[in-house]
Amino acid sequence: MSSAYDQLKSLLSGEVARPGDEGYEYGIARWCDNCIQQAAYVVFPKNAEDVSAAITFAKAEKVEIAVCGGGHSWSGSSSTTGLVIHLGKYFNTARCDPDAKLIYVGGGATWDPVDKAGAAHGLATVAGTVNHTGVGGRVLIVVIDTRGWGWLTGRHGLALDNLAQITIVLASGEIVTANENDHPDLFWGCRGGGSNFGVITEFVFKAHPQRATVFFSFIWFPVERLEEIVNTMEEWLETAGPVISGEVLDPRSNGEPVIRLMYFYNGPADEARKAAKKIYELEPAGELAFDEMPYLQLNSIQNLAMGHGGRKYCKGITVKPKLTYEAVKAMITAIDESVKDEPEFAASGALFEFTPKQAVLSVPLDATAYAGRGTGRECLTFIFYQTPSLDSKARAAVRGYTQAVARTAPLADHAGKGDDAIGVAYANYDPEPKGAALVFGSNYPRLREVKRKYDPDRVFNRWYPIEPATA
């Protein structure tokens, strides 16, 4: 053991593990098995001072730092062969101040304790749609679902739009609080700029009154009804109110594609069915409806399907200005051909999101670092599989799915807002980064200034690394 390693252990109130140590395998496990890396060190901090000590150690030993909260990164940005700061063990906490309507969230929390803390007081903040995902990856990056988008986005915007304050450990080891008044440039950069500026040990979210039960339904259609469904969904979204959200999924049942709509309405069942009259008039082949689903259950409804383990690959795109039948048909055809060629890719699919964007678009593009406030329809294509030797083939297949769409419909190719500058796909949906300048668009020059001030040596560089501005 190195003297530096012994010194690190002595400084921590938490633990550090190396290969073979107790807790090491837990520390490197990730939601996607193909994102696991053999880290030299895994630190499990108990407080911000432990995080500071770990950063100082990594810099002295010249090892790369990765930060792990929920471990859901498709790209593997929460893994490294260097040092992992694993916040999930001791920072998976949340508490609510009902009088101030604020929820205080540990830097390694998943959405499950956040939902529970708010619900105990009839409150909620914008969370993801799977409650075992980490808060940090969702909030910093678009924060948060998946883009910081969640079932409540239609009414309350993105998760990052509801962030009131952070406590962050900088590359220097300094522990600071950032909000609109203190370190406002840092607070601006962290809302959408990812993990480029430090390790956040606490988030503070605005909370909103939330009814105890909501309406949720799985609605099925045969794939032969695809054109009607796509056209109806686009027409429906034009008049959908902020209490609505929908996702159209193309999974496979017994090897054959089906169309499944997940419909959420933040209100009673009779209003929900009235609001989705256009959809029900299509006469679905089947429905599994929950007229009074507890709000806490809502964010766990997809947990099983999105469980930990196995190998996963995805790619996100944004079709502009609207989704078309031709685009979806091209993708389904590409998936069918891929599955015929490789049966293990049967768990392939595409998810199209239909969430009202009025609240998201109401925020000025330069109000936060997030630069994807555009129109268009977001899509996630994916493959879940098991065999490591299929990694390259899976990547090629998913690229093929998106390329099939690109041949039939225009895709968003730059960051921005509204119709003129259509936001690129949610960056967490793309494990093949195209560069920070593209993702951050017109906000990139300012982000470079923030990077120069708080992390000029690029200590944090695992997700769309920002190049510091030159003096």
Side-chain angles (χ1 to χ4, degrees), residues 252-273:
R252 308 183 74 79
S253 177
N254 298 320
E256 296 299 324
V258 296
I259 305 300
R260 186 180 75 185
L261 168 64
M262 291 178 280
Y263 171 45
F264 159 71
Y265 186 88
N266 201 357
D270 57 341
E271 291 182 10
R273 291 190 170 87

Side-chain angles (χ1 to χ4, degrees), residues 160 162-166 168 177-193 197 204 206 367-369 446 450 454:
L160 62 79
N162 290 272
L163 190 61
Q165 180 173 286
I166 58 173
I168 182 170
T177 297
N179 51 43
E180 293 286 3
N181 298 312
D182 300 315
H183 302 283
D185 54 347
L186 180 62
F187 185 58
W188 175 87
C190 286
R191 286 176 292 162
F197 306 108
V204 182
K206 302 170 189 175
T368 68
R446 184 177 174 187
V450 178
Y454 293 101

Side-chain angles (χ1 to χ4, degrees), residues 90-357:
Y90 294 114
F91 283 83
N92 189 12
T93 60
R95 63 181 178 86
C96 180
D97 180 342
D99 295 327
K101 289 186 171 58
L102 295 173
I103 302 178
Y104 293 77
V105 180
T110 59
W111 288 107
D112 180 50
V114 179
D115 292 339
K116 290 176 179 176
H121 303 281
L123 299 170
T125 191
V126 178
T129 57
V130 177
N131 70 10
H132 58 67
T133 54
V135 170
R138 307 297 291 242
V139 177
L140 300 181
I141 295 169
V142 190
V143 133
I144 330 154
D145 184 35
T146 120
R147 282 143 323 133
W149 297 70
W151 298 116
L152 302 183
T153 288
R155 174 174 283 174
H156 303 302
L158 301 171
L160 62 79
D161 295 331
N162 290 272
L163 190 61
Q165 180 173 286
I166 58 173
T167 300
I168 182 170
V169 186
L170 303 175
S172 64
E174 182 183 4
I175 303 166
V176 303
T177 297
N179 51 43
E180 293 286 3
N181 298 312
D182 300 315
H183 302 283
D185 54 347
L186 180 62
F187 185 58
W188 175 87
C190 286
R191 286 176 292 162
S195 53
N196 268 289
F197 306 108
V199 181
I200 295 181
T201 57
E202 184 181 69
F203 301 91
V204 182
F205 290 99
K206 302 170 189 175
H208 310 279
Q210 173 57 45
R211 57 183 290 124
T213 61
V214 300
F215 177 84
F216 185 86
S217 183
F218 293 107
I219 304 173
W220 284 273
F221 297 91
V223 73
E224 292 78 15
R225 304 283 302 281
L226 178 63
E227 185 169 9
E228 293 175 86
I229 296 165
V230 171
N231 293 338
T232 300
M233 288 297 294
E234 285 291 350
E235 181 182 351
W236 171 71
L237 192 61
E238 289 182 2
T239 58
V243 297
I244 283 174
S245 184
E247 295 183 347
V248 174
L249 181 67
D250 166 40
R252 308 183 74 79
S253 177
N254 298 320
E256 296 299 324
V258 296
I259 305 300
R260 186 180 75 185
L261 168 64
M262 291 178 280
Y263 171 45
F264 159 71
Y265 186 88
N266 201 357
D270 57 341
E271 291 182 10
R273 291 190 170 87
K274 189 178 300 183
K277 184 172 181 286
K278 292 180 183 296
I279 296 171
Y280 284 105
E281 286 177 345
L282 292 176
E283 298 181 351
E287 180 182 19
L288 176 60
F290 301 86
D291 286 2
E292 295 186 355
M293 173 179 283
Y295 177 75
L296 281 178
Q297 185 181 343
L298 174 69
N299 284 340
S300 67
I301 198 73
Q302 299 185 76
N303 282 7
L304 183 61
M306 303 298 286
H308 290 76
R311 309 183 82 78
K312 305 177 178 77
Y313 194 78
C314 82
K315 193 167 181 62
I317 55 175
T318 300
V319 181
K320 62 180 185 181
K322 296 180 179 181
L323 193 63
T324 66
Y325 162 72
E326 290 77 14
V328 182
K329 179 61 176 176
M331 182 173 288
I332 291 177
T333 300
I335 292 174
D336 286 345
E337 293 173 352
S338 173
V339 173
K340 288 176 183 177
D341 177 63
E342 177 49 68
E344 191 170 330
F345 292 166
S348 294
L351 176 70
F352 301 92
E353 297 183 354
F354 290 84
T355 298
K357 293 188 174 183

Side-chain angles (χ1 to χ4, degrees), residues 71-89:
H72 269 249
S73 169
W74 295 88
S75 66
S77 61
S78 62
S79 299
T80 179
T81 56
L83 182 145
V84 172
I85 298 176
H86 198 300
L87 300 175
K89 187 172 183 179

Side-chain angles (χ1 to χ4, degrees), residues 171 196 451 455-461 464-468:
N196 268 289
K451 185 72 168 179
D455 185 19
D457 298 323
R458 299 181 70 196
V459 172
F460 302 105
N461 60 15
Y464 287 96
I466 294 168
E467 187 67 28

